[in-house]
Amino acid sequence: IDLAKRSFQICATAPGGAVLFNRTVSRTKLEAHLREQAPCIVAMEACATSHFWGRFAQALGHDVRLIPPIYVKPFVKRQKNDAADAAAIAEAAVRPNLHYVAVKSAEHQARAVAFRTHQSFVGQRTQLINALRGHLAEFGLVVAQGPANLKSVVCMIDDSAIDLPDAVRDVARLYLDQIALLTNKIEELHSKLVHSTKVDDAMRRLCTVPGVGPVTAGAIMAFAPDLRTFASGRNFAAWLGLVPRQRSTGGKTRLGSVSKMGQADIRKLLIVGAMSRIRWIVRKGVLPDNWLGHVLGRKPRMVAAVALANKMARMIWAMMTREENYRMA
């Protein structure tokens, strides 16, 4: 099935691979067709709505296979259209040794919605703060970055000695009201994540890892599949994109920068958590006599942070699959 919002393309194939039909159906007809069809393999590209249709098809007894789009692209013949896409999905679904995306539950997706909303509000607040700083800079008022420096903006606006037009003061207050509203919503969402770490065993276990907080734990629970689907911690780190990009040939191994091929939200938060640990070590002024200290002594901080994030990902896989808390080595 090539998914869309209202128009869906269904390509049915026989066990031998022959195409039985390839037609366009509406949303209502697709639901009816899945109900009438005997249990079979239902293949779709993994996308935003595929998990809903995957749960719908699984409830009817179908074998659902969600295929990453990058694995479908090589099977598209010549022109790009819905019929060719559906035929490519059908052909890719019967290939051996193909990795599929696990169908997420509604609760799993609800966690992702909460995390995305939190990140969206943080981005909107940053946008408003930067816009306000830019407007004030046009009148010679320079404000440092970050929400913590908004108090100086309030003092500038209320200070009548500063030469600032009344219209600009009114607009600045509008910005401050919107920023305060977003800050309250961000704190509410963050408090819910913190509360989840107290009642959810998995999130509480994740927060025992140094450098992993409630937001990072929430991202892992929201976007990562069941970690038992990965054969090892190295595979989980590779899924996150925390491994070098390879350009090897002829028996010669050539490694480049990190591949960034996996889940961007978890990867970014793990690197941020790793960087916070490194900054704490650097402020102490003495490198510890352990693996991280030796890496910091030889490599730049950002390289060390990515290496530490890779190690954190492998530790998280081991902890979650064995259901154990973090133990200091």
Side-chain angles (χ1 to χ4, degrees), residues 111-131:
R111 292 195 187 110
V113 170
F115 178 84
R116 292 285 191 208
T117 303
H118 178 270
Q119 295 298 99
S120 176
F121 284 176
V122 171
Q124 291 177 28
R125 183 179 66 177
T126 303
Q127 183 183 21
L128 290 173
I129 292 173
N130 290 339

Side-chain angles (χ1 to χ4, degrees), residues 173-190:
R173 291 190 179 96
L174 287 176
Y175 273 99
L176 291 174
D177 292 341
Q178 290 298 317
I179 292 170
L181 179 62
L182 284 173
T183 299
N184 291 334
K185 298 300 180 183
I186 291 169
E187 290 175 353
E188 289 177 8
L189 291 171
H190 187 266

Side-chain angles (χ1 to χ4, degrees), residues 177-258:
D177 292 341
Q178 290 298 317
I179 292 170
L181 179 62
L182 284 173
T183 299
N184 291 334
K185 298 300 180 183
I186 291 169
E187 290 175 353
E188 289 177 8
L189 291 171
H190 187 266
S191 64
K192 290 181 180 179
L193 288 172
V194 173
H195 177 70
S196 299
T197 61
K198 298 178 181 179
V199 299
D200 189 286
D201 292 338
M203 290 191 65
R204 183 167 58 245
R205 184 176 296 113
L206 286 170
C207 288
T208 61
V209 179
V212 175
V215 176
T216 305
I220 294 172
M221 296 301 297
F223 299 116
D226 185 358
L227 297 189
R228 293 180 180 86
T229 60
F230 299 100
S232 65
R234 293 175 183 269
N235 289 357
F236 177 55
W239 181 78
L240 293 175
L242 288 170
V243 294
R245 183 187 295 272
Q246 285 200 41
R247 292 188 178 275
S248 305
T249 183
K252 296 180 180 179
T253 302
R254 295 187 178 92
L255 302 179
S257 58
V258 289

Side-chain angles (χ1 to χ4, degrees), residues 4 74 142 310:
V142 179
N310 180 289

